[in-house]
Amino acid sequence: MPQILVVNCGSSSLKFAIMDGTDNPPILEGIAERLGSEHSAITFKYAGNKTVQPLHDNDHRGAVTAIKHWINSNSTLPINLVGIGHRVVHGGETFSQSVVINPTVLEGIIDCARFAPLHNPAHTKGIEVAQALFGDLPHVAVFDTAFHQTLDADQYLYPIPMRLYREHNFRKYGFHGTSYRYIAQKLATLGLDFASQNTLVAHLGNGASVCAIKAGKSVDTSMGITPLEGLMMGTRSGSLDPSLLAFISDAENISMKDALDILNKESGLKGISEISNDCRSIETAQAAGDDRAELALNMFASRAAKHLASVATNLESVDHIVFTGGIGENSPVIREKICRRLAMMGVWLDLHANQISPRGEVSMISDNRSNTSIWVIPTNEELLIAQDTLSLIADTAPE
Ligand code: ADP
């Protein structure tokens, strides 16, 4: 069976998986971590076994070389790579769907790096290295922003001088698009009319956002020109009065960039709880009676609910609400706190179904009285990247 190597390159890490584009679990998956440091290592997970190897060439090239070496030295395994799918965070206005990578596409990805200075350069590096080492295979880019290119201008524009949009492309782009597209497609398989209905999705992980989906298309989302806008997150503040940036910079005698770093890296659940950015640790502290942990969780849930209600103004009805991402899939506490705050929309959670929602599976957790079906659907961005890559390769294959 043909398979795709899915690559998600960060500045100091590289996650990978070999998938066949079906619901089958990845044949091989793993992560190279601490790239650029002397402690860098790569972990391979195959058939339930985990092996960790130090990376002597501790950069992205070293990581992709190690993956190639692993595949070559396990040549008896049924691995049949036909393409490579790359996750790319920012596609700007250039990319509204996944594309086969050629030199023009690579230039476009580099151009979008001004809005994703940490991510896009790392993706470009990953693509160049993978092209050098797997030059005989087609490479495809799948963008986090692409799904939201369907937003209308009255949603994606910021109410600032139009000139700034015209001259600099300053606008809302939105992220987590691959996850939202996966969820929309999965939901469509669960009921006859679901593909044409209206859905709110809360993707709640360390990064968190919401999306309103109308008949499979994104009509509004909470993240903006960068992933800082919108919900309170693990370490990001989410939306706040922009004047605060100047106040923090003045009060702390730091640059705007350093003040922005505080909003990106020291805020959110971490900033309020002063415990961790990790929801599990905060829930444990809350259960032990920690008031600040309780406050952090309430703020997180309150802001998520507000943004869900806000993007819902772009829908005529809310037929479904879907929770996904590490927190959305695994935290009954957060789901309950959010749904309680959406009671005015006729959202009614089945408390028991919410508690016993099985890990890693689709489940419906709404009460019969609810106007809206509430779902937990595990996301699978890697699968969608593999599927897009397979389908683009099929489209471009010579007759
Ligand atoms: P990202 O992909 O944005 O890095 P994830 O989607 O992996 O993040 O989600 C990570 C978050 O999910 C962390 O805050 C983690 O604590 C939370 N999480 C995972 N499992 C649970 C759980 N059982 N209960 C509560 N939170 C959980």
Side-chain angles (χ1 to χ4, degrees), residues 263-283:
L263 301 186
N264 268 308
K265 298 180 186 158
E266 301 296 332
S267 301
L269 289 171
K270 182 181 177 192
I272 295 296
S273 70
E274 296 183 309
I275 296 169
S276 167
N277 64 307
D278 190 291
C279 189
R280 260 170 307 194
S281 311
I282 301 175
E283 286 187 17

Side-chain angles (χ1 to χ4, degrees), residues 180-197:
Y180 290 127
R181 191 154 57 93
Y182 174 83
I183 296 293
Q185 289 179 9
K186 186 78 187 176
L187 189 68
T189 66
L190 301 176
L192 259 192
D193 311 327
F194 287 7
S196 60
Q197 292 182 339

Side-chain angles (χ1 to χ4, degrees), residues 1-222:
M1 199 162 185
Q3 295 137 5
I4 299 298
L5 172 63
V6 176
V7 176
N8 181 356
C9 229
S11 51
S12 63
S13 72
L14 187 152
K15 284 191 209 158
F16 59 94
I18 295 180
M19 308 183 72
D20 61 14
T22 71
D23 282 338
N24 289 334
I27 295 135
L28 171 73
E29 62 185 318
I31 182 166
E33 291 174 284
R34 296 183 293 280
L35 295 175
S37 98
E38 57 185 278
H39 303 295
S40 80
I42 186 163
T43 304
F44 294 94
K45 237 163 72 183
Y46 172 76
N49 294 319
K50 219 171 169 181
T51 50
V52 184
Q53 298 171 6
L55 268 182
H56 300 298
D57 293 327
N58 62 4
D59 55 7
H60 291 82
R61 175 177 285 273
V64 180
T65 306
I67 296 168
K68 188 169 183 183
H69 183 72
W70 194 98
I71 295 169
N72 289 344
S73 50
N74 289 280
S75 55
T76 52
L77 297 178
I79 294 182
N80 171 26
L81 282 189
V82 296
I84 308 211
H86 297 266
R87 176 201 177 208
V88 178
V89 163
H90 219 301
E93 289 188 316
T94 315
F95 301 105
S96 55
Q97 56 193 21
S98 305
V99 286
V100 175
I101 300 173
N102 59 29
T104 316
V105 168
L106 204 53
E107 266 174 40
I109 295 172
I110 293 168
D111 187 49
C112 294
R114 65 201 163 109
F115 296 139
L118 293 180
H119 290 102
N120 276 31
H123 302 324
T124 314
K125 203 181 288 175
I127 291 168
E128 285 170 344
V129 163
Q131 282 183 326
L133 292 167
F134 291 94
D136 48 337
L137 297 180
H139 293 249
V140 164
V142 179
F143 301 90
D144 281 13
T145 48
F147 185 61
H148 304 297
Q149 281 296 299
T150 47
L151 261 62
D152 286 337
D154 60 358
Q155 298 308 314
Y156 70 66
L157 285 174
Y158 289 116
I160 56 176
M162 274 302 274
R163 176 181 75 71
L164 294 173
Y165 168 63
R166 280 197 304 269
E167 292 175 14
H168 307 289
N169 304 102
F170 293 162
R171 52 160 283 181
K172 177 191 280 276
Y173 288 98
F175 297 86
H176 289 139
T178 313
S179 172
Y180 290 127
R181 191 154 57 93
Y182 174 83
I183 296 293
Q185 289 179 9
K186 186 78 187 176
L187 189 68
T189 66
L190 301 176
L192 259 192
D193 311 327
F194 287 7
S196 60
Q197 292 182 339
N198 294 322
T199 304
L200 296 179
V201 185
H203 179 115
L204 309 176
N206 205 22
S209 70
V210 299
C211 182
I213 300 175
K214 190 174 184 169
K217 291 201 165 69
S218 171
V219 291
D220 197 8
T221 190
S222 57

